[in-house]
Amino acid sequence: MWSNSSSKRARLLVEVPVERYRVLSAEGRIPRAGDIVALDQGFTGDDGLPMVLVYFPAIGNESLYEAEVYESELE
């Protein structure tokens, strides 16, 4: 599972559509606007816009979800 305490973080500004996130924990936590997420890999979406793979960290080495978000959806 992903873990990096020194990673950059950003605030999620929107609700992420279900097709762009994956729940990683038994708690079933989904992305919510206002979440502080850890930024991972940047990439270009199918529409040519910049996107970032983000994780919502939990206590320990786990993350509650991963999501593909547009850079414009982050603060």
Side-chain angles (χ1 to χ4, degrees):
M1 192 74 46
W2 179 88
S3 174
N4 184 350
S5 60
S6 65
S7 69
K8 293 186 179 191
R9 299 188 187 280
R11 182 179 309 277
L12 187 59
L13 297 174
V14 299
E15 302 294 326
V16 178
V18 68
E19 63 272 8
R20 288 198 281 132
Y21 70 82
R22 185 170 66 115
V23 175
L24 301 175
S25 73
E27 288 85 29
R29 177 76 158 78
I30 63 171
R32 296 184 193 132
D35 286 350
I36 303 297
V37 294
L39 307 178
D40 191 15
Q41 179 177 336
F43 63 98
T44 302
D46 292 338
D47 55 8
L49 296 174
M51 298 187 81
V52 181
L53 183 62
V54 301
Y55 294 89
F56 187 76
I59 296 174
N61 290 331
E62 296 202 21
S63 295
L64 299 182
Y65 64 76
E66 69 177 8
E68 296 176 347
V69 299
Y70 289 101
E71 286 185 4
S72 63
E73 296 175 326
L74 298 169
E75 181 178 69

